Amino acid sequence: MKGVVLAACLVAGPLQAQDLTVLEASRIHTMDPSRPLAKAMAFDAQGRIVALGSVNDLHARYPGAKRLDAGDSIVVPGLIDAHGHIGNLGLSLMRARLDGTRSRAEIVERLRQHAAVLSDGDWLLGRGWDQNDWPDQAFPTVADLDEAFPDRPVWLTRVDGHAGWANSAALRQVERDLAGAWQPDGGRIERDAGGVPSGVFIDSAMDLVEAAIPPMDGDTAERALALGMRSAVEHGLTGVHDAGVSMAQIGAYQRLADRGELPLRIYALADGDQEAFAWLCREGLYSHPAGRLQMRAMKLYVDGALGSRGAALHADYHDDPGNRGLLLIQPDALEGVLKRARDCDVQVATHAIGDRGNRLVLDAYAGTWGDSSGHGHRWRIEHAQVVSPEDLPRFARQHVIASMQPTHATSDMPWAEARLGPERIVGSYAWRTLRDHGARLALGSDFPVESVDPRLGLFAAATRTDAGGQPLGGWRPHEKLTAFEALRGFTLDAAYAGFAETETGSLEAGKRADFVLLAEDPMAIAPEGLRSLTVQATYVEGRPVYERPRD
């Protein structure tokens, strides 16, 4: 890492040398409006920031401090992904990776390579396929997998996590008879003209197949979390809101935290109205003694995803007449869960993608708290992708946080208007409009649906283009954010969404020394350069959890 030197001064000062460190850098962006820039930052052995200012000032005040010379590096607050899936990211690194595949044949070839290392009888599991990237854009079938894998069960999760693709061997292990025209609540089984399942299961229908997969043991769960967290810190993340954590997963997190093996902060959201939510209501909001693991929130699903046509819409899909998507929970059931969450002081974050789904959630939140709630509940809508224009001002009015993922827009832009038509696209991926109405934007990625790399989110937010700079000027460019607004969404506003703005999100005296060293200044370069920022090091509580290998 160029220019970074740690050396202890020999001159005694008012504090012991081992108790204080002064970081020097070309520029420190604090995200603190009272002191937006600094050249030096002092923090103690517990990882608390003591002061910010000039290099001369801090060395004069703390002459006995250690010196961390970052040379010409730029420092920003630690980046926080407000919506990711650590366990799924780790599992995606352990299973067949299908992201970026352009055909069924390419998928089968990747699966053959992965199957070569499996034992006989093991399920072949993978994730990342997207039929929108294929020439015909049609859903796949069991026949696409059966020739290569006639006996080994295969289950492949779509890139968005809202659909799965099985072969015949997997369907033979499903306990329920799949024949007929029936459909599960909140889900859909794709069927051929004769009513036979074609191999694709959407939203809650996925449970039918996943119930047949052997459960994951505790060691595997811990390994998946460790791999996911390692990837996160390598990309500059010091915190993640893990959206949908089961009781088994929180147990795995706790074991890792007990051993001091959490390299970043995890804000865990319980996986819906299940065991973890009941535990929170019974035992109270949870915080691990080491301070890097919390669970005080729950995640609900109101609808599916746009790519698999499960997002709940007011009108038919423009490219699929008769289909208005799926509701994964009915309004009366949603209202009941929300009231229990309110009474337990549990924050609620609800997945809503379609315009009907978003209105249903806004209405339910209003019914729980009142339309102009000032209670500080900080309830959230996750994704908020397609919102009727008349509902956009309601986020600010109801104090609902818009937890959004900029790379969803740039991934979806090739086909989103085909799904929605020219009228409904107006209220979609509307970051600028929501922010201008006064809503708080907590930004994230939804990894592994998208890349874990927050630099891609900063780039997408500020340009609304793909990696090649297309479309010229950006897709629906009036919804762009500035680089500062995007960085705020991944720092201070993400911290606020997790009740942590007094601890993280900006670099201020009294807060945690969570920061990232960059080779380039995100506030000074052209927005097009945000995707290629160089992460030199990631620090949590003043200690490096990632350092870029030297060239």
Side-chain angles (χ1 to χ4, degrees):
M1 185 170 58
K2 181 180 178 181
V4 179
V5 178
L6 179 63
C9 295
L10 299 178
V11 180
L15 293 174
Q16 295 298 315
Q18 67 268 27
D19 291 336
L20 208 65
T21 298
V22 172
L23 166 69
E24 305 171 20
S26 173
R27 188 174 294 117
I28 300 174
H29 291 289
T30 69
M31 303 305 291
D32 174 11
S34 67
R35 184 196 288 272
L37 291 172
K39 290 277 191 177
M41 178 173 69
F43 53 88
D44 63 22
Q46 287 70 48
R48 288 278 183 187
I49 299 171
V50 175
L52 294 103
S54 70
V55 173
N56 291 340
D57 175 48
L58 292 196
H59 280 304
R61 291 168 63 183
Y62 310 113
K66 300 182 183 74
R67 181 184 177 196
L68 179 58
D69 185 357
D72 57 2
S73 297
I74 306 298
V75 177
V76 298
L79 302 175
I80 303 167
D81 191 311
H83 186 114
H85 306 276
I86 290 284
N88 285 342
L89 175 60
L91 289 174
S92 73
L93 300 173
M94 298 161 62
R95 296 173 175 176
R97 300 186 64 178
L98 308 178
D99 46 295
T101 48
R102 298 295 173 178
S103 68
R104 296 169 178 80
E106 186 179 355
I107 285 176
V108 170
E109 180 55 33
R110 289 200 194 181
L111 293 176
R112 288 184 191 274
Q113 295 173 14
H114 189 74
V117 302
L118 298 179
S119 302
D120 291 344
D122 285 352
W123 280 64
L124 175 50
L125 304 173
R127 179 173 182 144
W129 63 272
D130 184 352
Q131 83 283 357
N132 294 310
D133 293 337
W134 303 343
D136 61 2
Q137 299 190 351
F139 273 141
T141 69
V142 292
D144 297 314
L145 298 172
D146 284 352
E147 182 178 355
F149 306 102
D151 302 313
R152 184 188 296 277
V154 180
W155 177 245
L156 310 174
T157 305
R158 192 180 182 277
V159 63
D160 59 11
H162 285 266
W165 169 23
N167 70 343
S168 295
L171 296 188
R172 288 194 292 269
Q173 298 204 26
V174 175
E175 291 188 1
R176 182 165 180 177
D177 183 2
L178 299 175
W182 64 275
Q183 294 289 359
D185 291 339
R188 184 167 66 249
I189 302 170
E190 293 290 315
R191 301 178 183 276
D192 64 19
V196 177
S198 64
V200 170
F201 293 71
I202 298 173
D203 287 311
S204 66
M206 298 169 67
D207 297 342
L208 296 166
V209 181
E210 290 177 346
I213 301 173
M216 184 168 46
D217 61 48
D219 288 344
T220 302
E222 288 183 29
R223 183 182 173 215
L225 293 178
L227 285 172
M229 289 188 290
R230 174 51 50 191
S231 181
V233 297
E234 288 173 355
H235 289 91
L237 291 172
T238 61
V240 170
H241 297 186
D242 196 340
V245 173
S246 68
M247 200 66 211
Q249 280 184 304
I250 197 66
Y253 268 131
Q254 288 172 321
R255 293 191 296 273
L256 290 167
D258 289 343
R259 300 198 299 266
E261 296 176 8
L262 293 188
L264 77 169
R265 304 186 192 283
I266 298 296
Y267 185 75
L269 286 70
D271 59 339
D273 188 12
Q274 301 192 71
E275 186 181 0
F277 173 46
W279 175 66
L280 288 177
C281 282
R282 183 176 65 250
E283 302 294 334
L285 309 183
Y286 174 77
S287 180
H288 189 274
R292 293 191 183 179
L293 174 64
Q294 289 189 71
M295 179 181 274
R296 58 171 300 169
M298 69 180 302
K299 180 194 175 187
L300 298 172
Y301 286 92
V302 75
D303 66 355
L306 196 64
S308 48
R309 297 186 183 87
L313 304 180
H314 289 305
D316 294 356
Y317 275 82
H318 192 258
D319 60 356
D320 190 13
N323 180 11
R324 296 191 176 186
L326 299 166
L327 284 182
L328 305 190
I329 186 172
Q330 295 302 312
D332 56 347
L334 175 63
E335 291 171 6
V337 176
L338 296 182
K339 289 177 181 177
R340 281 189 283 129
R342 178 199 62 196
D343 295 343
C344 295
D345 197 28
V346 171
Q347 181 192 32
V348 177
T350 306
H351 165 117
I353 288 183
D355 50 12
R356 183 187 178 200
N358 276 280
R359 181 173 296 172
L360 192 158
V361 176
L362 288 167
D363 287 348
Y365 284 5
T368 304
W369 291 104
D371 189 58
S372 298
S373 169
H375 291 275
H377 53 74
R378 304 193 192 185
W379 284 14
R380 305 158 43 157
I381 291 183
E382 306 301 304
H383 312 307
Q385 282 185 9
V386 185
V387 182
S388 298
E390 60 268 32
D391 288 332
L392 290 167
R394 296 180 63 186
F395 282 77
R397 189 166 69 241
Q398 294 180 213
H399 304 281
V400 173
I401 295 168
S403 174
M404 304 181 78
Q405 300 74 43
T407 47
H408 278 335
T410 50
S411 292
D412 297 357
M413 64 185 181
W415 46 262
E417 188 164 344
R419 291 282 193 278
L420 299 169
E423 294 181 1
R424 276 179 295 183
I425 202 68
V426 171
S428 304
Y429 312 89
W431 319 319
R432 165 59 56 200
T433 301
L434 280 165
R435 194 180 191 285
D436 287 352
H437 279 305
R440 194 180 294 261
L441 300 184
L443 300 183
S445 67
D446 200 13
F447 66 77
V449 176
E450 304 282 354
S451 169
V452 68
D453 191 342
R455 295 170 295 183
L456 303 183
L458 295 172
F459 168 78
T463 68
R464 291 181 73 98
T465 69
D466 63 18
Q470 298 298 317
L472 191 64
W475 180 62
R476 302 186 59 75
H478 59 281
E479 294 292 355
K480 292 178 185 178
L481 300 176
T482 67
F484 174 84
E485 291 166 337
L487 184 61
R488 181 182 169 103
F490 276 100
T491 55
L492 197 55
D493 287 340
Y496 177 89
F499 294 90
E501 76 279 6
T502 61
E503 291 283 303
T504 62
S506 62
L507 300 174
E508 304 178 52
K511 289 193 175 186
R512 300 288 187 179
D514 295 359
F515 56 90
V516 182
L517 302 186
L518 301 171
E520 303 85 13
D521 188 339
M523 305 296 190
I525 62 175
E528 292 73 22
L530 292 170
R531 70 186 308 273
S532 55
L533 290 168
T534 305
V535 176
Q536 296 179 316
T538 306
Y539 279 71
V540 173
E541 294 175 357
R543 293 180 174 83
V545 293
Y546 166 75
E547 292 179 286
R548 184 170 180 257
R550 293 179 181 273
D551 295 332

